[in-house]
Amino acid sequence: MTDLSPNAVEPQDRQFLSASDWPALVGFLVFLFLIPTLLFIAAGTVRWLAAWLYTALYIGAALSGRVAAFFRHPDLLAERARFARAEGTEPADRAMVAVVGILGPLTIVLVAGLDHRLGWTPPIPGALSALGLALVVLGYGLGTWAMAVNRFFSAVVRIQKDRGHTVVTDGPYQLVRHPAYAGALLASIGVPLLLGSVWSLVPSLLMAAALMARTRVEDLTLMRELEGYPEYAEQVRYRLFPLVW
């Protein structure tokens, strides 16, 4: 979910998915439904209201962001589908993609499901569950909003010179420089609370640390290589959270 920051500009090349891009789309859909499936398998039951609520939010946010991208800048879908063979990517980002995009989410739901089945965590107060729900809604909302306004919302850290990469001032990028990462971090903390699993906070916090590290890598890349980004960073001073960082 790379958060490379553009202005919302009309794409010059209305490039849709080619035949070679469809395997990546199929892989995305498989992974999208693998997460909740693993959660229910680990829990050993489908009679779990919080898990169904999480599933609806997770799938809804993932699909709505891509639907918005399809109508506003469909060439972004092709860019994201080609992340594995994209040129000019940061080497350090490859490992981080696997952690924050695949291993982290899988581990969080696996531990949460096992926790629900085996009762590792006693029932948590309703206020904490409500807080978790609020964090997930806010986090997914930020990510969806960022994708909707960001034509260069690539899956990997790279300066997209081939797509006319420019700097953002729109939408949530007026508030922080990497709103999608901020949203992912909030959601990663909120999911364990929503699912009532203290133990799944362990992989959640590790994933949050990886997200912060990836934010730094991307920010340094943008500072170094994207024209106008240093000036933008002087105006929007915080990477993830206003008055914090």
Side-chain angles (χ1 to χ4, degrees):
M1 132 204 12
T2 291
D3 200 0
L4 296 176
S5 307
N7 276 318
V9 295
E10 187 66 23
Q12 298 178 2
D13 179 12
R14 305 291 287 185
Q15 182 180 20
F16 294 88
L17 293 171
S18 66
S20 61
D21 298 327
W22 281 101
L25 177 61
V26 172
F28 160 73
L29 292 174
V30 169
F31 184 76
L32 180 65
F33 288 95
L34 174 63
I35 293 286
T37 300
L38 179 62
L39 175 62
F40 286 112
I41 289 175
T45 181
V46 295
R47 300 180 64 183
W48 187 6
L49 179 59
W52 282 110
L53 182 57
Y54 160 74
T55 297
L57 291 170
Y58 169 72
I59 294 178
L63 293 180
S64 61
R66 283 154 182 82
V67 169
F70 175 79
F71 285 105
R72 296 199 59 179
H73 28 252
D75 57 331
L76 173 59
L77 300 182
E79 162 66 25
R80 292 184 65 84
R82 297 166 190 170
F83 75 95
R85 56 185 190 274
E87 297 181 356
T89 59
E90 288 292 319
D93 188 55
R94 292 292 182 180
M96 293 182 186
V97 168
V99 172
V100 303
I102 300 175
L103 296 178
L106 283 174
T107 306
I108 290 171
V109 299
L110 175 61
V111 173
L114 291 174
D115 193 347
H116 183 78
R117 175 188 288 196
L118 301 175
W120 295 336
T121 299
I124 67 172
L128 283 180
S129 298
L131 174 61
L133 175 60
L135 290 175
V136 172
V137 170
L138 178 59
Y140 287 167
L142 272 174
T144 301
W145 189 14
M147 179 176 281
V149 303
N150 189 341
R151 184 192 166 208
F152 305 99
F153 199 93
S154 179
V156 290
V157 175
R158 79 180 191 96
I159 304 302
Q160 300 165 53
K161 296 178 181 179
D162 53 315
R163 302 180 66 237
H165 201 158
T166 54
V167 180
V168 73
T169 55
D170 295 340
Y173 295 96
Q174 300 176 72
L175 306 175
V176 291
R177 302 204 296 267
H178 303 278
Y181 290 140
L185 197 153
L186 290 174
S188 70
I189 302 300
V191 168
L193 298 178
L194 173 60
L195 297 177
S197 173
V198 171
W199 284 102
S200 63
L201 280 170
V202 175
S204 172
L205 292 174
L206 293 174
M207 179 175 162
L211 279 165
M212 294 180 70
R214 195 179 188 208
T215 301
R216 186 174 185 277
V217 168
E218 181 169 317
D219 209 62
L220 291 174
T221 301
L222 292 168
M223 286 284 195
R224 184 175 62 248
E225 300 182 25
L226 185 60
E227 182 179 356
Y229 191 83
E231 293 77 10
Y232 162 71
E234 290 181 0
Q235 297 176 358
V236 179
R237 298 178 58 85
Y238 297 97
R239 295 174 179 171
L240 292 179
F241 302 110
L243 304 178
V244 179
W245 188 64

